[in-house]
């Protein structure tokens, strides 16, 4: 398609430009940048319907030869002088990158893990844990044991073999594995890590019944053992708060898991036997640390909430000191501390006595994309969480209202443009009188007369949204309980967003296949350092095969088929 000669007016000057209908607004802006010295992101080009956007198809402008466009904007230097500088960073094209460089590009396909013989349970668990950014950052700081360096001075960790020494340190092996995975987009074999896991926990070295290869294992058991090791080994340096009166504050070592993944229960245990209560047996109060919530499944369980509620009350059989015999006790738990990352375990596997084997519960149990656990908390914690939770919901509603207002404006603007175009096509150019006649007709019909509307630009809407959000967040932070605010590893709203899922396919507990799903993050903006809005899609990790799936796929994992969720990982909304 031939180019169209047009005129662009800027600061009293007229520039002749060849407009290419097959290109976009961004290309046109770069043409003007070479002529005027005004950077593309500082240009405002007025076209029919508003401002020219970067992704606008220039063919949609239906420009005619000699048509004049108005451009506003000044160069960043302010003096109109175009300064061409050498790029600070060398430009590297994708085809020229190494595999490690390509893997580190934001939004790149993540690495899978090779199945080394019934190791899908481990692959799924590792991929889900890897979705926790704080864990990866802290693992990178984990010290390499001195034994990693051989007499030849070679550091084995650079080859992903750092865990081979120091009694097969599982934490060091995980650190090296995640580093290796970050440098490739291919399926990586977790040889060293699984060797360390089997040495530390021999249950994972159990052979299959046929004697050929290793047996299938439970993903939840692998998760529990890995997390228990990280809890012991992975520590965070923590300095005591300012204002303690001591000039030299002694740094404390606290567990990474306790800070970000562990919660705390307040418990009440009471004997069910009425005679024990009448004899004066007291109720026992206590505290327990939890690393996951259990979702118990029975014939009445239909939703995740039902299972969690059932899991917070259990029957215990023990000796009553008052009765002098075995009695049944009821232990009730309430959450007193919520971690930033909450894992929920679907208790789908159980020991079937009559068959003397593990069985799987296939019942459908639905789960939401956002989990509110405030109802399971103690009264004290609930009183701290509810105001923050309600404010978060209010902020979200305000953001949705701004988005809807923007859409309504665009629709109204489009209708006005269509009306003006129709009048122009009819040869009616006296728009002032036409608009007056139009208003008179509306008034005669009993309609309210509308004044001229000034349409906001996308930039103005974005600025309004940013101001609104910043003000709301400042107000939100002021509402957080001071004690809760100091705990930066805790959830402060009681609301969690679903981020990771481990699923099991098959009816048998001793076989089948595990896969995992991890929600994609928004692309990182290099200028602001913040992530852009997410597209709602998920990564599906099927051993070494990694693919992108729509959010609708997640809804099918609640049950009713062969593939069922067995564990969920949630991240605090605030």
């Amino acid at each position: 398609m031939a180019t169209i000669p047009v005129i662009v007016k800027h600061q009293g000057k007229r520039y002749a430009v060849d407009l290419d209908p097959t290109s976009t607004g961004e290309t046109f802006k770069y043409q003007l940048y070479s002529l005027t010295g005004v950077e593309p992101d500082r240009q405002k080009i007025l076209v029919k319907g508003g401002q020219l956007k970067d992704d606008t198809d220039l063919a949609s402008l239906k420009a005619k030869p000699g048509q004049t466009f108005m451009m506003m904007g000044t160069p960043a230097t302010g003096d109109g002088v175009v300064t061409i500088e050498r790029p600070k960073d060398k430009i590297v094209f994708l085809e020229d990158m190494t595999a490690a460089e390509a893997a580190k590009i934001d939004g790149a396909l993540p690495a899978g893990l090779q199945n080394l013989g019934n190791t899908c349970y481990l692959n799924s668990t590792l991929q889900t844990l890897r979705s926790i950014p704080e864990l990866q950052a802290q693992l990178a700081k984990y010290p390499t044991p001195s034994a990693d360096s051989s007499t030849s001075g070679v550091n084995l960790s650079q080859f992903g073999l750092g865990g081979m020494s120091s009694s097969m340190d599982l934490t060091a092996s995980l650190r090296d594995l995640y580093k290796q995975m970050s440098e490739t987009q291919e399926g990586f074999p977790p040889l060293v890590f699984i060797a360390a896991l089997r040495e530390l926990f021999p249950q994972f070295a159990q052979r299959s019944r046929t004697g050929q290869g290793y047996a299938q294992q439970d993903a939840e058991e692998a998760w529990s053992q890995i997390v228990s090791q990280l809890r012991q080994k992975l520590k965070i340096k923590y300095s005591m708060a300012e204002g303690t009166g001591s000039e030299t504050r002694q740094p404390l070592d606290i567990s990474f898991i306790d800070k970000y993944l562990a919660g705390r229960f307040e418990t009440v245990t009471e004997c069910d036997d009425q005679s024990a209560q009448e004899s004066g047996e007291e109720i026992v109060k206590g505290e327990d640390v939890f690393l996951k919530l259990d979702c118990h499944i029975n014939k009445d369980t239909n939703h995740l909430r039902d299972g969690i509620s059932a899991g917070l009350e259990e029957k215990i059989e023990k000796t009553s000191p008052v009765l002098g015999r075995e009695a049944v006790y009821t232990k009730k738990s309430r959450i007193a501390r919520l971690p930033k990352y909450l894992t929920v375990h679907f208790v789908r596997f159980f020991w079937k006595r009559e068959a003397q084997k593990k069985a799987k519960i296939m019942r459908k149990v639905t789960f939401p994309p956002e989990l509110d656990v405030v109802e399971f908390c103690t009264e004290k914690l609930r009183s701290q969480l509810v105001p923050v939770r309600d404010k978060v919901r209010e902020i979200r509603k305000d953001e949705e209202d701004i988005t809807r207002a923007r859409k309504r404006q665009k629709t109204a603007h489009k209708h006005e443009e269509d009306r003006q175009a129709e009048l122009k096509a009819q040869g009616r150019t006296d728009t002032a009188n036409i608009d007056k006649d139009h208003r008179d007709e509306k008034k005669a019909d009993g309609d309210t007369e509308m004044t001229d509307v000034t349409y906001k630009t996308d930039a103005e809407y974005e600025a309004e949204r940013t101001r609104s959000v910043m003000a709301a967040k400042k107000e939100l932070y002021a509402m957080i309980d001071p004690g809760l605010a100091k705990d930066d590893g805790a959830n402060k709203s009681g609301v969690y967003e679903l981020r990771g899922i481990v699923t099991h396919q098959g009816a048998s507990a001793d076989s089948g296949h595990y896969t995992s799903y991890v929600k994609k993050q928004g692309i990182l903006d290099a200028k602001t350092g913040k992530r852009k809005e997410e597209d709602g899609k998920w990564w599906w990790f099927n051993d070494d095969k990694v693919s992108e799936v729509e959010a609708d796929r997640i809804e099918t994992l609640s049950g009713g088929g062969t593939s069922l969720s067995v564990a969920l990982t949630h991240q605090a909304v605030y």
Side-chain angles (χ1 to χ4, degrees), residues 419-420 423-424 426-441:
R419 188 176 74 88
Q420 294 290 348
L423 293 173
K424 190 174 182 180
Q426 295 173 358
R428 303 176 69 182
T429 57
D430 189 1
T431 56
N433 290 332
I434 292 171
D435 289 340
K436 182 178 182 302
D437 294 342
H438 183 70
R439 289 195 296 269
D440 290 342
E441 291 175 6

Side-chain angles (χ1 to χ4, degrees), residues 97-170:
M97 291 182 178
T98 64
E101 290 172 338
K104 291 181 182 297
I105 296 176
D106 202 48
L109 186 76
L113 288 168
Q114 293 179 21
N115 192 319
L116 304 178
N118 279 337
T119 58
C120 57
Y121 71 93
L122 180 62
N123 292 346
S124 300
T125 301
L126 292 173
Q127 293 286 14
T128 308
L129 278 173
R130 189 170 178 244
S131 68
I132 301 175
E134 291 90 344
L135 175 59
Q136 291 202 59
Q138 194 61 36
L139 280 171
K141 301 175 185 177
Y142 185 73
T144 301
S146 57
D148 277 0
S149 298
S150 66
T151 55
S152 62
V154 178
N155 188 347
L156 297 178
S157 65
Q158 64 181 311
F159 304 109
L161 304 177
M164 290 185 68
S165 303
S166 190
S167 301
M168 302 293 278
D169 188 333
L170 193 72

Side-chain angles (χ1 to χ4, degrees), residues 29 76 128 156 189 216 251 276 281 295 330 351 373 454 460 521:
K29 287 182 178 180
T128 308
L156 297 178
Q216 176 70 284
E281 183 167 341
C295 174
T330 298
W351 183 256
V373 295
T454 301
E460 289 172 331
Q521 291 184 309

Side-chain angles (χ1 to χ4, degrees), residues 1-6 17-23 27-28 31 58 63-66:
M1 187 179 292
T3 59
I4 303 170
V6 297
V17 184
D18 289 330
L19 185 147
D20 183 0
T22 63
S23 62
T27 303
F28 190 56
Q31 285 180 264
L58 294 185
K64 297 179 181 179

Side-chain angles (χ1 to χ4, degrees), residues 8 10 15 31-39 43 71 75 80-82:
V8 176
H10 175 249
Y15 297 93
Q31 285 180 264
L32 297 178
Y33 175 40
S34 65
L35 295 172
T36 65
V38 180
E39 295 84 349
Q43 295 178 17
M71 186 187 105
V81 178
V82 181

Side-chain angles (χ1 to χ4, degrees), residues 175-292:
R175 173 202 63 199
D176 297 334
L177 174 61
Y178 282 167
K179 181 178 183 298
Q180 289 284 64
M181 291 174 67
S182 71
E183 296 173 348
T184 182
Q185 292 178 279
E186 304 296 330
F188 188 81
L191 290 166
V192 174
F193 183 83
I194 198 166
L197 181 70
R198 286 169 176 165
E199 180 181 287
L200 201 57
F201 304 106
Q203 69 192 80
F204 298 108
Q206 179 185 353
R207 310 294 291 188
S208 66
R209 293 178 181 177
T210 62
Q212 298 178 351
Y214 292 96
Q216 176 70 284
Q217 299 290 340
D218 190 336
E220 186 275 331
E221 291 180 8
W223 182 92
S224 295
Q225 298 291 23
I226 294 170
V227 170
S228 69
Q229 272 296 295
L230 292 175
R231 191 182 182 202
Q232 295 176 34
K233 296 278 190 175
L234 196 60
K235 304 293 183 178
I236 299 175
K237 289 291 183 183
Y238 175 76
S239 297
M240 296 180 66
E242 298 285 346
T244 58
S246 174
E247 293 184 5
T248 304
R249 291 178 291 278
Q250 184 68 31
L252 301 175
D253 282 344
I254 63 171
S255 167
F256 172 88
I257 297 298
D258 284 345
K259 180 176 181 178
Y260 288 106
L261 277 82
R264 179 168 53 85
F265 283 135
E266 287 186 1
T267 63
V268 175
T269 305
E270 185 177 11
C271 185
D272 292 354
D273 196 314
Q274 188 67 31
S275 58
Q277 300 175 20
E278 293 172 352
S279 300
E281 183 167 341
E282 295 183 353
I283 296 173
V284 178
K285 296 182 179 181
E287 291 187 351
D288 291 330
V289 173
F290 68 88
L291 300 178
K292 58 183 172 62

Side-chain angles (χ1 to χ4, degrees), residues 324-565:
R325 58 177 172 81
E326 292 290 303
V328 177
Y329 289 76
T330 298
K331 181 179 181 181
K332 297 180 180 180
S333 302
R334 280 283 173 250
I335 301 172
R337 194 254 183 190
L338 284 169
K340 183 174 182 178
Y341 294 94
L342 177 69
T343 300
V344 179
H345 169 227
F346 286 83
V347 188
R348 290 196 178 276
F349 301 129
F350 69 101
W351 183 256
K352 203 169 185 177
R353 291 183 180 178
E354 56 271 24
Q356 287 295 297
K357 67 175 185 179
K358 285 175 69 176
K360 180 180 179 181
I361 301 173
M362 301 293 291
R363 183 177 181 83
K364 180 177 181 179
V365 180
T366 59
F367 52 87
E370 194 170 274
L371 178 65
D372 185 343
V373 295
V374 170
E375 63 176 302
F376 306 123
C377 298
T378 62
E379 290 187 10
K380 178 182 177 181
L381 182 57
R382 199 182 308 157
S383 66
Q384 296 171 342
L385 298 175
V386 169
V388 181
R389 180 197 64 183
D390 293 347
K391 186 62 180 179
V392 168
R393 289 175 175 172
E394 181 184 325
I395 293 173
R396 285 180 169 178
K397 183 178 181 300
D398 290 343
E399 289 181 329
E400 291 172 359
D401 288 344
I402 291 175
T403 302
R404 281 195 292 266
R406 183 187 299 187
K407 290 180 179 179
R408 284 196 299 268
Q409 177 193 264
K410 286 185 176 181
T411 301
H413 199 180
K414 181 67 167 59
H415 289 165
E416 179 62 21
E417 286 181 338
D418 292 344
R419 188 176 74 88
Q420 294 290 348
E422 184 180 352
L423 293 173
K424 190 174 182 180
Q426 295 173 358
R428 303 176 69 182
T429 57
D430 189 1
T431 56
N433 290 332
I434 292 171
D435 289 340
K436 182 178 182 302
D437 294 342
H438 183 70
R439 289 195 296 269
D440 290 342
E441 291 175 6
K442 287 283 187 180
K443 193 172 182 180
D445 292 338
D447 293 340
T448 303
E449 181 179 346
M450 299 295 290
T451 57
D452 292 337
V453 179
T454 301
Y455 296 105
K456 295 181 181 179
T457 64
D458 286 344
E460 289 172 331
Y461 261 116
E462 187 60 33
E464 180 182 328
R465 175 183 172 277
T466 301
R467 287 194 300 271
S468 174
V469 170
M470 290 298 293
K473 284 187 175 181
K474 188 178 293 185
E475 184 180 346
L476 177 64
Y477 188 77
M479 298 174 69
I480 300 175
D481 179 83
L484 195 59
K486 292 178 182 178
D487 188 354
D488 59 349
N491 182 323
K492 299 169 179 61
S493 67
V495 181
Y496 288 93
E497 179 190 14
L498 182 62
R499 301 299 303 187
I501 307 171
V502 175
T503 68
H504 180 266
Q505 187 172 2
S508 172
D510 294 322
S511 59
H513 183 60
Y514 285 96
T515 65
S516 62
Y517 296 80
V518 172
K519 194 171 186 182
K520 289 179 61 181
Q521 291 184 309
I523 300 297
L524 189 67
D525 190 322
K527 293 182 179 179
T528 64
K530 298 180 180 179
R531 293 197 175 273
K532 297 181 180 180
E533 189 175 350
E534 297 178 348
D535 60 10
K537 296 181 181 180
W538 292 65
W539 292 120
W540 179 32
F541 295 96
N542 184 5
D543 288 330
D544 58 337
K545 300 180 181 65
V546 182
S547 55
E548 189 183 78
V549 297
E550 299 290 338
D552 295 346
R553 177 75 170 270
I554 304 304
E555 298 175 5
T556 68
L557 304 176
S558 57
T562 57
S563 186
L564 302 170
S565 54

